[in-house]
Amino acid sequence: MGDKYTAVWVSHSSMGDFLKCPRLYYLHNMYKDKKTGHKITIVNPHMALGVAVHEVLESLGDYPAHERMKQDLRADFEEAWKKVSGKLGGFITDTEEQEFKERGIKMLENVQKDPKFLINKRIKLPRETMNPNFFLSEDHNIILNGLVDWIEYLPDDTLHIIDFKTGKKEESDSSLQLPIYLLLCNALQKRKVTKASYWYLESGNVVEKELPDAETAYRDVMDVALKVKEARKLAKRDGEDKVFICPKGAYDPITKEGGCFNCIPYEKILTGDESVEFVGTGGFNQDMYMVKK
Ligand code: SF4
C-alpha cells in the first residue's frame, strides 16, 4: 500500500531535472541546507514573469465564465508583480525588471483582446494544499503531482488541456508535460481529455498537440519515475555524492571548471560563492537565491 508521507513525489519539473542529469535533480529537489533544513531554489527573471502571468490567468478561473473578462487584468498583474519585484524575481537592474514587466503587460493585453478559451466553461482538478496528485503506483509508492494551467470543458462533454507559455522556447515533442497532465486528468476526474494545446502568450499562437494514449503516457512517466526512485534508494545506501555525479566532472569552485550552466548556480550556492545572494523563503519553504553571473 502507498503512503503519502514516505512516497517519492514526482512532477514534470523534478523529472525534467532528472532527465537532464541526476545531479541537477539532487541539487534542485533533494539537497537541504544543513542550517535551515530547507531545499534551495534559484530565482530568475524568466521564472518571475511566468509566475506573475500564470497567477493572473489562473485566478480568472475563480469567476464565472461571463465575468472573467470584466476583471482588471492589469491591476491584478501589478499585485502579482509585487511578489516577484526586484531581487525576489532575480532582477539585477530596474531596466531589466521593467523589460520583463512590459512583456507581461503585453501578454495580458493580448489576452484581453482575444481571450480564446478563457471565456468558456472550465473545470478544476480537486486539490487541497498541495498540487493535484495521485498514486502513480501504490506498489512502488510513487505519487505524481502537477498543476494543469487551464482545463476547458468542451460542448461534447470532453476536456481540452491548455498550458500557458510565457517563454519563447517551444516545448519539445518528447516533453513529459502532456503525458503527465493527461494522467492527472484521468486519475482525478471522470471526463475524457480529447484535446491539448500550448498557448504562447507573447505571440498569441495556440499550438494544438497530439495527445498520447493513456497507456503510453503511463509507461513513459512511470519509466522515469522508477529511475528517480531507484536513484534515491541507491543514494540512501551509498551516499548522495556517489550516486548524483556530474558526468562532466564536478564543478571546482577555485578553478571554476567542471559542470555546466544547469548546475553551476546551485554549486555556487553550496560553496557560498560571492555571486550568490539569499533573497527570501518561498511558499514551499525553500531558500531562494539569486545568482549574479
Ligand atoms: S552540471 Fe553536470 S550534472 Fe549538472 S546538468 Fe550539467 S553535466 Fe549534468
Side-chain angles (χ1 to χ4, degrees):
M1 261 312 262
D3 165 27
K4 279 205 162 186
Y5 296 97
T6 58
V8 172
W9 288 63
V10 291
S11 66
H12 175 232
S13 153
S14 70
M15 285 191 284
D17 288 343
F18 188 86
L19 288 172
K20 276 190 198 134
C21 267
R23 176 143 186 94
L24 177 63
Y25 170 83
Y26 165 71
L27 292 169
H28 192 197
N29 302 279
M30 279 180 78
Y31 172 83
K32 284 188 179 163
D33 183 288
K34 289 190 184 56
K35 277 195 217 118
T36 62
H38 296 163
K39 290 184 184 170
I40 53 175
T41 194
I42 296 168
V43 291
N44 70 65
H46 296 278
M47 202 174 78
L49 173 65
V51 166
V53 171
H54 274 75
E55 183 175 320
V56 174
L57 296 183
E58 283 163 25
S59 69
L60 288 177
D62 297 334
Y63 296 93
H66 67 279
E67 279 185 20
R68 289 184 199 136
M69 283 306 121
K70 293 183 192 155
Q71 307 310 310
D72 186 343
L73 302 193
R74 177 67 195 268
D76 292 347
F77 184 65
E78 289 295 338
E79 273 310 302
W81 194 262
K82 284 181 192 161
K83 296 178 207 158
V84 296
S85 180
K87 289 180 177 173
L88 286 175
F91 297 108
I92 293 179
T93 63
D94 289 347
T95 317
E96 184 185 38
E97 178 170 347
Q98 205 47 41
E99 272 168 25
F100 275 86
K101 192 173 174 188
E102 290 295 335
R103 281 177 61 192
I105 292 169
K106 194 99 196 65
M107 286 179 205
L108 294 173
E109 283 172 0
N110 289 344
V111 167
Q112 197 102 48
K113 274 187 221 137
D114 181 8
K116 303 189 195 292
F117 333 94
L118 298 184
I119 48 175
N120 301 338
K121 280 188 190 161
R122 72 166 292 189
I123 70 139
K124 277 183 178 179
L125 297 181
R127 66 183 290 195
E128 290 163 12
T129 46
M130 309 294 284
N131 280 345
N133 61 77
F134 72 101
F135 271 102
L136 186 64
S137 164
E138 292 226 23
D139 290 344
H140 293 286
N141 206 18
I142 298 175
I143 293 177
L144 178 66
N145 79 98
L147 198 55
V148 187
D149 289 343
W150 197 269
I151 308 173
E152 181 187 11
Y153 173 78
L154 298 172
D156 63 358
D157 197 34
T158 66
L159 303 178
H160 176 195
I161 293 171
I162 296 138
D163 190 62
F164 303 141
K165 297 284 183 204
T166 53
K168 292 185 169 77
K169 215 176 91 197
E170 299 221 345
E171 191 77 29
S172 123
D173 282 344
S174 62
S175 161
L176 287 179
Q177 191 164 40
L178 289 180
I180 288 171
Y181 288 174
L182 179 67
L183 295 178
L184 283 163
C185 286
N186 287 353
L188 297 172
Q189 59 79 51
K190 300 262 178 288
R191 293 185 179 92
K192 188 173 162 55
V193 178
T194 52
K195 202 173 165 189
S197 306
Y198 293 138
W199 183 1
Y200 293 91
L201 294 163
E202 201 143 44
S203 63
N205 289 343
V206 174
V207 179
E208 192 175 334
K209 303 300 281 186
E210 199 181 326
L211 273 168
D213 66 80
E215 280 105 68
T216 311
Y218 183 81
R219 193 198 57 215
D220 291 350
V221 173
M222 191 63 184
D223 181 50
V224 183
L226 282 173
K227 287 183 182 142
V228 170
K229 180 162 181 189
E230 186 58 23
R232 293 179 73 112
K233 199 168 129 198
L234 277 179
K236 231 179 194 171
R237 195 190 67 190
D238 300 343
E240 284 142 358
D241 289 350
K242 299 264 178 338
V243 175
F244 298 112
I245 301 166
C246 173
K248 290 195 175 176
Y251 170 73
D252 183 329
I254 299 172
T255 61
K256 313 245 183 252
E257 280 172 11
C260 78
F261 71 97
N262 285 316
C263 296
I264 287 176
Y266 291 98
E267 306 284 12
K268 285 182 171 173
I269 295 170
L270 267 57
T271 53
D273 191 274
E274 60 188 14
S275 62
V276 167
E277 185 176 342
F278 174 77
V279 297
T281 305
F284 292 103
N285 254 349
Q286 335 86 312
D287 292 339
M288 302 192 298
Y289 291 90
M290 75 185 273
V291 182
K292 297 170 211 143
K293 295 228 170 67

